[in-house]
Amino acid sequence: MSLYDLSANAVRRIYDARIDTPPVLDAATYFPGAARFMSAWSDIRDEALSLSSRMQNIPRFHEIMPAQAEISANDGKDWRILILKVYGTEVEKNMALCPKLAAIVSSNPDVLSASLSFLAPRKHIPRHRGPFRGILRYQLGLSVPVDEQGRPAAVLALNDVEHRVGDGQHLLWDDTYPHEVWNHSDQMRLVLLLDVRRPHMPFDLRVLSRALIASVGMVARVRGVA
């Protein structure tokens, strides 16, 4: 087991003992800022799709985070990530590529990280878990292919329950639950992914979360991610 896994498991146990919420949470309660992203989803989609011509310049996830190679480089198919903000630090050159999205991200202090996720056709992201419950994952469908039944062809299996997030649809979820993703289509799937600050935590966990977020942000800056 890697040092990352050991650290993540230790931190996860602290939060799991104190926070007991379901895998999917109500966005209006836990992330009210979702409404602004939802209302602007078509503009966000257009900005993101305009980057398709420069796809080879967008790094694969494991090129940004080598520790995640098992879930990113597992099958030879691309999972490319354009990071606009990482744990509180904005990536100015990437923010400039998506000015409308960047304006919304910058205006919401609860958005800790923001990325555009480009999932190649037939890509499978294996089952894994996020590190700690101090953040929540917000997913907004931007350009999601559909199957023969007209359903979103990309599937998120979260705690063994399937979710299909289509164009203009969103989901707020806890990524510390086991999850995996399939793109069951021959087209790229494009979504916006945000890490947002979890509200309604005990004071000591809020303090711990701030420390963890600051430390991860510092590591990202040292590695040149931000």
Side-chain angles (χ1 to χ4, degrees):
M1 182 175 291
S2 69
L3 179 60
Y4 172 87
D5 290 330
L6 290 170
S7 301
N9 288 339
V11 171
R12 194 182 292 122
R13 284 193 294 270
I14 295 172
Y15 283 83
D16 288 356
R18 304 281 300 282
I19 297 175
D20 183 19
T21 52
V24 175
L25 298 106
D26 177 61
T29 301
Y30 285 88
F31 180 46
R36 286 198 63 195
F37 291 93
M38 280 287 290
S39 64
W41 84 268
S42 60
D43 289 334
I44 297 172
R45 175 201 59 199
D46 292 346
E47 286 186 338
L49 286 175
S50 71
L51 302 174
S52 299
S53 62
R54 61 179 78 186
M55 189 66 66
Q56 296 306 311
N57 296 327
I58 298 174
R60 300 171 181 88
F61 185 46
H62 59 275
E63 293 171 342
I64 302 169
M65 293 188 64
Q68 300 300 313
E70 289 186 4
I71 64 171
S72 174
N74 59 303
D75 58 5
K77 298 178 175 64
D78 281 353
W79 177 19
R80 294 181 181 268
I81 296 284
L82 183 75
I83 297 178
L84 286 81
K85 185 176 183 179
V86 54
Y87 280 80
T89 301
E90 296 181 356
V91 184
E92 293 183 4
K93 64 178 182 179
N94 293 342
M95 293 281 274
L97 297 174
C98 308
K100 293 180 180 178
L101 171 57
I104 304 174
V105 168
S106 295
S107 67
N108 194 321
D110 288 329
V111 175
L112 302 171
S113 299
S115 301
L116 293 169
S117 172
F118 301 83
L119 201 65
R122 305 296 169 180
K123 173 66 179 176
H124 172 226
I125 300 174
R127 186 178 175 96
H128 63 288
R129 298 178 66 189
F132 80 109
R133 288 189 170 179
I135 59 172
L136 298 171
R137 174 65 46 82
Y138 176 76
Q139 178 174 329
L140 175 62
L142 299 178
S143 181
V144 182
V146 297
D147 62 17
E148 295 177 353
Q149 288 76 44
R151 305 175 303 171
V155 178
L156 165 68
L158 175 61
N159 208 35
D160 298 320
V161 175
E162 287 193 357
H163 300 271
R164 297 173 184 262
V165 182
D167 290 1
Q169 298 176 341
H170 68 172
L171 190 72
L172 183 68
W173 50 285
D174 182 342
D175 79 340
T176 65
Y177 284 94
H179 59 280
E180 57 188 311
V181 179
W182 294 266
N183 181 0
H184 291 305
S185 79
D186 295 319
Q187 298 173 279
M188 178 189 68
R189 185 213 68 170
L190 169 60
V191 300
L192 171 68
L193 297 176
L194 305 178
D195 287 337
V196 302
R197 198 184 312 275
R198 178 191 279 269
H200 317 309
M201 287 193 299
F203 175 76
D204 59 330
L205 290 186
R206 294 202 304 271
V207 172
L208 177 57
S209 293
R210 285 196 294 268
L212 290 170
I213 290 163
S215 64
V216 174
M218 181 178 65
V219 170
R221 290 189 294 273
V222 169
R223 291 181 176 177
V225 176

